[in-house]
Amino acid sequence: MIYDVLIPTVPFIAGYLGTYTLYKGGIIKRNLHVNLWNFIIGAAFLISGIGGFILLILMAVGIKSPLNPQLLYWHVEAGLTLTLVTVFHFRDYWKSTKKLFFPKSRRVKT
Amino acid sequence: MKKRLIGALVSVPALLAAILSGDSSAASCPYGLVNCTGQCSRFIDISGDGICDLSQSTATSGTSDSSTSSTDQTRQDGTDVSNVGDNGTDNASATNDPGHGSDNGYHLGDGGEYYILPVSILLISGYLFTHYLFKKGILNRKKHRKIWNLLLAAGYLGTSGTGVLLILMINLGIRTALNPSLTFWHVELSILMVIGTLIHIHIYRKPFKNMFKVLFGFKSPVNKKKDKMVLRTSK
């Protein structure tokens, strides 16, 4: 089994660039662009994070169902999307991210 | 509403029974996979036939067809499995060093080696504690948010980092002694990530609700009441 890496990443990169261009061009509001990607990160988290958690609980309890392999596959694929969209999330909230990781004294004014 | 809820609750055991009555042939694979050629980081191939030993522990005990079909398969790295099986040295290199896989207390199919409950309870109680401090005014809003955002970021970075490494290892067919510990940290950090995300949603519940309003035009009952009040006053 080889997992697809391009399918869960490339369309999302293109999608983000698309909505970002629309927002920068003034066609859509920033609110819509940010909320759309917040929704996508939520959906990816629901499949990957919650799916992985269910998988973990099933393993801990010792339940083996035909659903497990499918769940594992989609957990991995959605995990790739989640990783990528998390980077976009950091980018969307860059001011807060900067404050979070770099203390005030270390920040360089631009 | 109550009847619906009871109906849904009654159907849960039936649904679980239907799911569990499915495939139970692969007794030792934690995911229930049969003749797996490497879908997770727990891949072990002592027999050197390119198929995970855990997924064929009961499948190979059947007819001779299963053994011939398994030798026909090629490994995911493209090498012919039948050639590997003939050569003793190749066979040894194809395995995932079983000594590391089983001797370190890492029992496959046993999910008990992960600290799901302790970590979850620790995180939830930690959040309740900081929330209490925040409500009492001991901890300010900024610090409260910063603590949980940092923990969440650590969870995301750790989980995604180990996850991407595991995918690369699986896709490239790399089997090392590091895989079990990578999986362990992937799982532990993902608990932090999942619980942290739920806490993140709770902290930012207002923007979260607003997201549905912006995208789908949903309005919470409180907002609907507010809108009605505004309309009445404007009239």
Side-chain angles (χ1 to χ4, degrees), chain A residues 61-78:
Chain A
V61 178
I63 296 170
K64 284 154 198 158
S65 78
L67 273 177
N68 288 21
Q70 282 296 310
L71 200 58
L72 175 66
Y73 179 80
W74 288 109
H75 161 74
V76 173
E77 296 295 334

Side-chain angles (χ1 to χ4, degrees), chain A residues 1 3 63-66 68-69, chain B residues 20 27 31 33 37 39 76 171:
Chain A
M1 168 68 75
Y3 292 105
I63 296 170
K64 284 154 198 158
S65 78
N68 288 21
Chain B
L20 296 176
Y31 303 111
L33 293 164
T37 51
Q39 196 173 337
Q76 60 176 357
N171 277 3

Side-chain angles (χ1 to χ4, degrees), chain A residues 4-13 16 37-53 73-92, chain B residues 152-153 155-161 163-164 167 186 189-198 200-201:
Chain A
D4 286 315
V5 178
L6 296 177
I7 292 170
T9 51
V10 173
F12 289 93
I13 295 170
Y16 186 80
W37 286 97
N38 281 353
F39 182 75
I40 292 169
I41 201 175
F45 166 76
L46 212 64
I47 302 167
S48 183
I50 301 293
F53 214 67
Y73 179 80
W74 288 109
H75 161 74
V76 173
E77 296 295 334
L80 278 169
T81 307
L82 184 64
T83 303
L84 186 77
V85 182
T86 303
V87 178
F88 298 155
H89 193 75
F90 281 142
R91 203 243 157 268
D92 286 337
Chain B
L152 180 65
Y156 263 92
L157 291 173
T159 310
S160 56
V164 168
I167 292 171
H186 178 70
L189 289 166
S190 69
I191 299 168
L192 172 64
M193 185 195 82
V194 169
I195 304 286
T197 304
L198 297 176
H200 190 75
I201 291 170

Side-chain angles (χ1 to χ4, degrees), chain B residues 24-223:
Chain B
S24 59
S25 58
S28 52
C29 174
Y31 303 111
L33 293 164
V34 181
N35 289 340
C36 171
T37 51
Q39 196 173 337
C40 74
S41 57
R42 300 178 165 219
F43 185 88
I44 285 184
D45 186 21
I46 299 166
S47 57
D49 58 1
I51 297 169
C52 182
D53 296 342
L54 300 169
S55 69
Q56 62 176 168
S57 57
T58 49
T60 49
S61 63
T63 58
S64 60
D65 287 350
S66 61
S67 60
T68 51
S69 63
S70 63
T71 50
D72 288 342
Q73 291 197 27
T74 52
R75 279 217 316 256
Q76 60 176 357
D77 56 0
T79 55
D80 192 3
V81 173
S82 55
N83 294 336
V84 176
D86 295 339
N87 191 337
T89 51
D90 277 1
N91 193 2
S93 64
T95 59
N96 185 23
D97 193 3
H100 289 94
S102 56
D103 290 351
N104 59 1
Y106 188 79
H107 299 291
L108 299 153
D110 171 23
E113 73 265 23
Y114 301 119
Y115 305 108
I116 310 168
L117 266 179
V119 176
S120 304
I121 290 168
L122 196 76
L123 287 168
I124 293 165
S125 51
Y127 178 65
L128 290 175
F129 180 66
T130 54
H131 190 73
Y132 172 78
L133 291 179
F134 160 60
K135 283 282 172 191
K136 287 281 171 192
I138 300 165
L139 198 70
N140 65 27
R141 186 186 285 268
K142 265 188 180 178
K143 271 188 184 167
H144 179 238
R145 284 184 174 185
K146 196 173 182 176
I147 290 167
W148 289 102
N149 283 348
L150 267 174
L151 280 171
L152 180 65
Y156 263 92
L157 291 173
T159 310
S160 56
T162 50
V164 168
L165 267 176
L166 283 170
I167 292 171
L168 284 175
M169 282 178 158
I170 291 166
N171 277 3
L172 299 172
I174 301 166
R175 326 251 180 242
T176 66
L178 269 176
N179 285 28
S181 50
L182 257 179
T183 311
F184 175 81
W185 284 109
H186 178 70
V187 171
E188 294 302 326
L189 289 166
S190 69
I191 299 168
L192 172 64
M193 185 195 82
V194 169
I195 304 286
T197 304
L198 297 176
I199 289 168
H200 190 75
I201 291 170
H202 183 252
I203 291 173
Y204 296 94
R205 55 190 175 276
K206 274 185 186 171
F208 183 73
K209 281 177 192 167
N210 190 45
M211 179 182 79
F212 292 100
K213 197 178 151 187
V214 169
L215 292 176
F216 308 109
F218 290 163
K219 279 179 184 174
S220 66
V222 179
N223 281 341

Side-chain angles (χ1 to χ4, degrees), chain A residues 25-47:
Chain A
I27 298 164
I28 59 169
K29 284 180 181 172
R30 187 184 185 274
N31 203 14
L32 181 64
H33 163 72
V34 170
N35 278 305
L36 179 70
W37 286 97
N38 281 353
F39 182 75
I40 292 169
I41 201 175
F45 166 76
L46 212 64
I47 302 167

